[in-house]
Amino acid sequence: MSAIAYPVGNSLYLNITNRCTNECPFCIRNKSPKFNQQFALWLDKEPTADELITAIGDPTRYEQIVFCGYGEPTVRLEVIKEVSRQLKSQKSKLKSNVVIRIDTNGHGNLFWGRNILPELKGLIDKVSVSLNAQDAATYNRLCRPLQGERAYTAIIDFLKEAKKYLPDVEATVVDLPGVDKEKCRQIAAELGVQFRIRPYYEETYVK
Ligand code: SF4
């Protein structure tokens, strides 16, 4: 049975979809059906908001609750909003400091054809956006976006909009050959967002 919620450190990750708007060759989905040799993340069925709330249980056990999974979470925008709404309501009752985060490829506005960031204001505390490249050509080569050339510009625009509506925004890159990490760091600095380099985990996954 697949896991719709799984702990990593002090955080709880929510596995809400297998669908994605990229086809990154380095994606962990291509390496293993199990995350960290433990959690089966290929979903037979996408979880509902109620199923996720039940799987979360007491949110105060975690520092962060993260919308993530083996796909792009923003394709399930309404579920993100509903779960966050319920968590926020519990947070105010419980006076918890748990951070609600989305890990995204930054294609949300391109996918939905509108600016979704205002809809996340007050619901999402942090967004981590996979910038992954210093320019569109490198991004297209590394991430093979289904929407082609428009994807990279859409990510930059998503970061700009995220900064207007969400309190904590970071851009990340995976440490892969061909990624100019310093140029990416500079792009993040110009956008006024945090920057983080993520390790490439291949060896830790079961093949
Ligand atoms: S954007 Fe993320 S989930 Fe989608 S294919 Fe790339 S690494 Fe995998």
Side-chain angles (χ1 to χ4, degrees), residues 20 22-24 26-27 29 70-72 105:
C20 191
N22 272 345
E23 290 179 343
C24 309
F26 59 84
C27 181
R29 307 187 303 172
Y70 265 15
E72 168 47 37
N105 63 15

Side-chain angles (χ1 to χ4, degrees), residues 20-22 24 67 71-75 102-117 120 127-132 139 143 145 147 150-162 169-172 198:
C20 191
T21 49
N22 272 345
C24 309
F67 293 98
E72 168 47 37
T74 60
V75 303
I102 302 177
D103 285 0
T104 175
N105 63 15
H107 295 191
N109 290 353
L110 186 60
F111 179 82
W112 287 103
R114 67 175 191 271
N115 185 4
I116 64 171
L117 274 316
L120 299 174
V127 65
S128 181
V129 180
S130 302
L131 176 65
N132 274 354
Y139 187 83
C143 299
Q147 305 245 33
R150 295 189 297 159
Y152 189 76
T153 307
I155 296 166
I156 300 289
D157 289 344
F158 188 90
L159 281 162
K160 286 180 188 163
E161 289 300 316
V169 182
E170 76 173 2
T172 70
R198 294 151 52 214

